[in-house]
Amino acid sequence: MSKDLIIVESPAKVKTIGKFLGRDFKVAASVGHVRDLPVSDLGVDEDQGFAPRYEVIKGKEEVVKRLRKAASQSERVFLAPDPDREGEAIAWHVAELIRDKNQNISRISFNEITARAVREALASPRPLDRALFDSQQARRVLDRLVGYKLSPLLWKKVKRGISAGRVQSVALKLVVEREKERRAFEPREYWPFTARLAAAEPPEFWVGLWKRGGKAVEPGADPVADRDQAEALEQVLRGAEFIVDKVEEKKRKRAPNPPYITSTLQQDASNRLGFSAKKTMSLAQRLYEGVELGDSGVTALITYMRTDSTRVAKEAQDAARALILERYGKEFCPAKPRTFKAKGSAQDAHEAVRPVDVGISPDAAARFLPRDQLRLYTLIWQRFVASQMAEAVFWDTLVLVRAADTLWRVKGERLLFPGFLEVMGKGEDKAKDQAAELPGLAPGDVLRLQELGFEQKFTQPPARYTEAGLVKELEEKGIGRPSTYAAIISTLLDREYVRLEKRRFAPSELGVLVSDQLSEHFSELMDVGFTASMETKLDEVALGRQDWMDLIADFAAGFYPLLDKAGRDMVRAARDTGVTCDKCGRPMVVKFGRNGEFLGCSGYPECKNIRNFTRDEKGGLVLRDQDTGLACDKCGRPMVVKGGKNGEFLGCSGYPECRNVKNFQRGPEGEIVLGEQAGPEVVGKCPDCGADLVVKRARNNSRFVACSAYPKCRFARPFPTGVKCPREGCGGELVEKASRNGKVFYSCSRYPECDYALWDWPVEGPCPECGHPVLVRRAARTGVVVACPRKGCGFRRHED
């Protein structure tokens, strides 16, 4: 007897679904897409309504052969790829390839991989959704037209091998525009004041200066704008009487957040776990497809993770409420199930991201899941359970204190009932915004000034985007869809248009050039509003309200003339650097090579002079070819400092005629010390052989301690900082290391068991404001400062 065939995307789903369907079904996997546009050419017939030409993806021939054979041996075929546009496209292409073997083809979809959900889907199969497929097809053709038409233009005018994309280029523009805002930013000085006061009863408490002379004290608009004004105010305050002016007390309720959608999951995983969007989606895919849970076998843990809907099935709400009643009690369960309103642009095709079985708690799953999968599942489980719990209740106190012509403010907060915070454990919701503990106060109370503090600060430029921030911006502006955010960010990084610096996106010079060229010549394509409106039109195609070929034709009617004009008008990208070639006198321009950006003579190929550079905070060029006063021992020309992928080195200024290079170290004042001139720094005795231990520098620019008897003795260990790892119970020490691109950082010696790391040199704490056991030393505009690395703590002081 022939079996019915179910075709899914992933081999992992085969095992999960096969476990509970029994012998009447055979389950096979397409292993993702099986057909696509050709790699070698455009693959779109521009003269025939932009009809696409599909072909089997290279390497998928055997997969297609197996699917065709399985279809020929089955009575019915159920296509069950993921329930979204990409999944519909996979189903459509598989159907086209097997239709001559079996015409009894249906489409099924499910939001969670459970026996109930799969059997319900099998009981109500549907035809393939042509409109949904056309929407994906339109997106694919649009992206192919933009990519294949724009990329060759960029090869000629910027750098060979780079690419442009319809959505990625707009995301790049957001990063570039933010960087330009930062470079144009002019910092302004301000002097915040704090005071420690005592009432008749303890505890003492801190207040912050809020107004002076009725004018708000704010960064950049501070009536205390320089040291003279600050010291004058200090004298006034030390002789003034601090009196309670006003006390406001009220009860405040805080409702839980809705369960996760794709974008909020990516944002929280980035902010709280440090995961990239790509890593988050990869881990979520595994949890959705199923993992081994001991005797339970392969079990799917979460619902489909590509969604923009906060809707939750009634049975899931009921299960969550039952768990809340059992585990936390009646007062934690609201009278009615919570529902959440979706945003206007939401497709609402799938439920929110939630646990399939809320009864499988993170504690129950802990011994079966790898660490990162468990951390993500915990995030999803806690958010979902919290979303169905009662509100948290706080008692808020606001106290205003008057002294001379100044008004001071402090907020107090007391948790009356934890509500949904109970399930969050030590997560962000309990740790966030804990305000001061205040004594009993009433208007007119006279307070004693115990301590008065003030410090110089400067306004800060707009922060660069974190991955979470960029995802939020893309979502709010309607750029892309939940399923595309991770791919957009990965493409920007892979193309080296942006780089991550301290977990924030900074555009490369190449990224700035590409963005500026496209913005100048394709202003509509790079317009955020235009890109968002295109997403809306693609949604209209999915709903059957817009013909996809008409959509492409309308786009091409505006795009092709701009493409022709850009081909004529776009000049080869060359930034005016203001640097003159020291060999021929012609201007130096920014160029791009395998190891990054460099300055090259505009007279190339007649003059092949190059120089390395970096950028300062304003984006200005800082030449790295420092004159060392040393002569090349091969040709006699000056040796200069250059930079490569492994850090700084000395290179002959006569390059490329002379290729002499030397390694060097920096002395205490930053001076250049050659290896033969610098005596090794001895830091102890080798525990293996008794010889001196000396400090050495690795190729990636980090220091390490090694035996001076090398290669006879190979003892080595990371360079210690002398600061213990702040993680509770860790016991490790922070040591110096370097990333692949030579950027030094400081991480726990017990890595990978402990992944604590800092970008700045660690200093023994604790922080006087939050108690964090480690501080860091870093350079600032006003000199070296010691600061707290803990997020949300603003402690910072100048180094003594």
Side-chain angles (χ1 to χ4, degrees):
M1 180 179 176
S2 62
K3 299 180 180 181
D4 289 337
L5 174 66
I6 298 177
I7 299 177
V8 295
E9 281 183 53
S10 163
K13 290 184 189 176
V14 172
K15 195 172 182 181
T16 308
I17 294 174
K19 178 184 75 171
F20 46 70
L21 280 186
R23 298 181 178 180
D24 294 336
F25 293 89
K26 180 179 179 180
V27 186
S30 69
V31 196
H33 282 273
V34 291
R35 288 202 316 179
D36 197 3
L37 299 173
V39 175
S40 56
D41 60 72
L42 181 63
V44 176
D45 192 337
E46 298 167 274
D47 297 325
Q48 298 296 322
F50 299 95
R53 187 180 79 255
Y54 296 111
E55 58 183 36
V56 174
I57 297 170
K58 188 177 180 180
K60 288 295 185 73
E61 295 84 1
E62 283 300 315
V63 172
V64 171
K65 186 177 178 181
R66 288 197 299 271
L67 293 179
R68 284 172 55 82
K69 182 178 179 181
S72 68
Q73 297 171 348
S74 303
E75 182 176 340
R76 294 179 296 176
V77 178
F78 297 98
L79 302 174
D82 287 345
D84 57 12
R85 292 176 189 174
E86 290 296 319
E88 202 69 22
I90 292 171
W92 192 277
H93 288 304
V94 169
E96 291 296 299
L97 292 169
I98 67 172
R99 201 177 299 278
D100 62 327
K101 298 294 183 181
N102 191 327
Q103 295 191 9
N104 191 4
I105 300 172
S106 299
R107 172 79 162 111
I108 60 172
S109 58
F110 30 82
N111 192 53
E112 59 187 56
I113 305 177
T114 61
R116 176 192 58 79
V118 174
R119 292 192 183 280
E120 285 179 0
L122 287 168
S124 54
R126 62 169 175 82
L128 285 163
D129 188 333
R130 178 72 202 223
L132 196 59
F133 167 64
D134 282 345
S135 179
Q136 189 276 342
Q137 185 167 237
R139 182 188 298 276
R140 188 74 185 93
V141 171
L142 276 173
D143 291 343
R144 174 56 66 99
L145 289 175
V146 172
Y148 262 65
K149 299 291 185 180
L150 280 186
S151 296
L153 187 62
L154 293 177
W155 292 8
K156 295 176 184 177
K157 306 299 183 181
V158 182
K159 178 189 175 185
R160 187 163 184 82
I162 62 175
S163 70
R166 183 180 59 86
V167 179
Q168 83 186 43
S169 297
V170 181
L172 173 61
K173 182 180 178 181
L174 293 176
V175 176
V176 169
E177 292 302 315
R178 176 62 58 88
E179 192 68 14
K180 289 181 178 179
E181 290 177 30
R182 288 172 56 81
R183 293 176 180 178
F185 180 81
E186 293 295 336
R188 297 179 64 180
E189 183 180 5
Y190 68 103
W191 290 76
F193 274 69
T194 55
R196 182 164 57 89
L197 304 175
E201 299 292 332
E204 297 177 352
F205 60 97
W206 286 89
V207 293
L209 180 60
W210 180 39
K211 289 184 178 181
R212 186 186 184 192
K215 184 178 179 182
V217 175
E218 297 175 348
D222 194 341
V224 188
D226 57 40
R227 181 177 293 276
D228 291 341
Q229 292 181 30
E231 291 175 348
L233 178 60
E234 179 191 21
Q235 295 303 314
V236 171
L237 292 172
R238 290 199 181 279
E241 192 173 42
F242 285 75
I243 301 173
V244 176
D245 185 69
K246 186 177 183 181
V247 178
E248 287 185 357
E249 295 183 304
K250 63 179 180 180
K251 187 181 289 187
R252 173 173 60 89
K253 293 182 179 181
R254 180 178 165 194
N257 289 318
Y260 284 124
I261 60 176
T262 304
S263 61
T264 53
L265 176 61
Q266 290 175 353
Q267 290 168 48
D268 255 16
S270 175
N271 288 331
R272 297 176 61 181
L273 306 179
F275 292 170
S276 67
K278 185 177 181 179
K279 180 175 182 177
T280 298
M281 297 310 288
S282 176
L283 292 170
Q285 186 81 35
R286 294 292 304 277
L287 296 173
Y288 166 67
E289 292 175 347
V291 294
E292 287 280 355
L293 292 185
D295 295 339
S296 301
V298 179
T299 304
L301 289 181
I302 66 170
T303 55
Y304 191 54
M305 62 284 158
R306 293 184 179 90
T307 177
D308 56 6
S309 172
T310 54
R311 176 173 53 83
V312 173
K314 184 179 184 305
E315 55 267 27
Q317 287 179 328
D318 293 343
R321 289 170 61 81
L323 180 139
I324 293 164
L325 284 168
E326 178 185 349
R327 182 172 294 195
Y328 301 104
K330 185 177 180 181
E331 66 273 24
F332 287 88
C333 190
K336 295 181 180 180
R338 288 191 182 277
T339 57
F340 300 90
K341 186 177 180 180
K343 62 178 183 177
S345 60
Q347 300 298 295
D348 205 37
H350 318 297
E351 287 188 61
V353 185
R354 62 167 176 82
V356 168
D357 181 359
V358 74
I360 303 177
S361 68
D363 290 341
R367 62 193 180 100
F368 303 110
L369 297 181
R371 180 172 180 267
D372 286 346
Q373 284 187 25
L374 177 62
R375 293 172 74 196
L376 189 66
Y377 180 65
T378 301
L379 210 61
I380 294 168
W381 188 90
Q382 288 179 342
R383 176 81 164 228
F384 173 64
V385 174
S387 73
Q388 291 300 318
M389 293 180 73
E391 298 168 320
V393 182
F394 298 87
W395 186 258
D396 288 346
T397 304
L398 173 66
V399 177
L400 300 182
V401 176
R402 188 172 297 280
D405 67 341
T406 64
L407 198 60
W408 304 67
R409 181 171 64 171
V410 63
K411 293 180 179 180
E413 176 184 272
R414 183 159 53 93
L415 182 64
L416 299 179
F417 175 65
F420 72 92
L421 296 180
E422 191 70 20
V423 78
M424 304 303 291
K426 294 181 180 180
E428 63 170 2
D429 291 289
K430 268 195 173 178
K432 182 167 75 174
D433 296 336
Q434 289 299 307
E437 182 183 354
L438 299 174
L441 297 169
D445 286 355
V446 178
L447 306 171
R448 299 189 304 278
L449 177 63
Q450 304 293 95
E451 185 179 342
L452 183 65
F454 61 94
E455 62 176 323
Q456 181 189 43
K457 288 192 174 184
F458 291 87
T459 54
Q460 297 298 308
R464 287 170 172 160
Y465 288 110
T466 60
E467 190 153 334
L470 185 55
V471 167
K472 184 178 181 180
E473 190 78 359
L474 292 172
E475 180 191 26
E476 288 179 351
K477 294 187 179 300
I479 301 169
R481 283 293 178 256
S483 59
T484 65
Y485 298 145
I488 290 169
I489 291 170
S490 293
T491 301
L492 294 180
L493 288 167
D494 292 344
R495 299 295 184 194
E496 298 183 349
Y497 292 157
V498 302
R499 60 183 178 274
L500 279 171
E501 293 185 2
K502 297 184 180 180
R503 294 183 60 194
R504 292 182 180 272
F505 291 113
S508 65
E509 183 68 19
L510 177 62
V512 174
L513 275 174
V514 168
S515 179
D516 287 353
Q517 290 280 47
L518 293 178
S519 295
E520 180 181 351
H521 297 281
F522 299 92
S523 56
E524 186 177 53
L525 182 67
M526 294 291 283
D527 181 70
V528 170
F530 174 79
T531 305
S533 69
M534 184 59 71
E535 293 294 345
T536 302
K537 291 176 183 177
L538 289 168
D539 293 341
E540 292 292 301
V541 174
L543 295 171
R545 300 169 183 166
Q546 164 85 53
D547 181 81
W548 78 272
M549 286 190 170
D550 289 345
L551 173 62
I552 303 293
D554 290 344
F555 172 79
F559 177 58
Y560 282 9
L562 288 176
L563 194 67
D564 293 338
K565 188 174 185 297
R568 296 189 303 269
D569 298 346
M570 188 184 288
V571 296
R572 183 162 184 82
R575 295 280 187 192
D576 181 9
T577 63
V579 179
T580 302
C581 177
D582 53 348
K583 290 189 176 182
C584 72
R586 283 176 281 202
M588 301 286 280
V589 295
V590 177
K591 295 190 175 185
F592 309 97
R594 286 179 297 178
N595 294 327
E597 306 148 1
F598 63 94
L599 290 182
C601 182
S602 58
Y604 181 87
E606 291 80 14
C607 178
K608 297 182 179 179
N609 187 24
I610 63 171
R611 302 184 73 177
N612 290 308
F613 72 94
T614 57
R615 295 273 184 187
D616 61 23
E617 292 183 351
K618 293 293 185 182
L621 268 76
V622 179
L623 296 177
R624 295 178 64 178
D625 294 354
Q626 173 189 333
D627 186 3
T628 63
L630 300 171
C632 175
D633 54 2
K634 291 188 177 181
C635 73
R637 283 176 280 201
M639 297 289 281
V640 293
V641 176
K642 298 193 173 187
K645 61 182 179 181
N646 294 322
E648 292 183 322
F649 64 94
L650 290 181
C652 181
S653 59
Y655 180 88
E657 291 80 13
C658 178
R659 297 175 180 266
N660 188 23
V661 297
K662 286 180 177 291
N663 291 319
F664 73 93
Q665 294 181 355
R666 292 283 188 184
E669 303 298 326
E671 72 273 17
I672 291 168
V673 183
L674 295 179
E676 58 267 23
Q677 298 170 327
E681 181 186 352
V682 178
V683 293
K685 296 294 183 181
C686 176
D688 290 353
C689 72
D692 286 342
L693 287 177
V694 295
V695 177
K696 295 187 176 183
R697 193 171 290 275
R699 291 184 64 189
N700 64 7
N701 205 34
S702 65
R703 292 173 293 178
F704 66 98
V705 175
C707 182
S708 59
Y710 178 87
K712 290 182 180 179
C713 177
R714 295 180 176 269
F715 175 82
R717 59 180 169 81
F719 186 82
T721 65
V723 178
K724 292 182 179 179
C725 177
R727 288 263 172 91
E728 187 175 349
C730 173
E733 179 185 8
L734 297 181
V735 296
E736 185 171 304
K737 295 186 179 181
S739 63
R740 284 180 296 178
N741 62 4
K743 187 169 178 60
V744 173
F745 65 96
Y746 308 92
S747 67
C748 182
S749 58
R750 295 187 63 247
Y751 179 84
E753 288 82 9
C754 176
D755 61 359
Y756 186 85
L758 296 167
W759 284 110
D760 301 298
W761 179 267
V763 178
E764 285 284 1
C767 173
E769 291 190 7
C770 73
H772 191 63
V774 172
L775 301 171
V776 295
R777 182 186 295 117
R778 61 170 68 116
R781 292 188 186 93
T782 55
V784 178
V785 299
V786 174
C788 181
R790 187 182 227 163
K791 187 174 182 179
C793 179
F795 173 73
R796 172 185 168 118
R797 65 170 170 79
H798 284 281
E799 188 176 46
D800 296 334

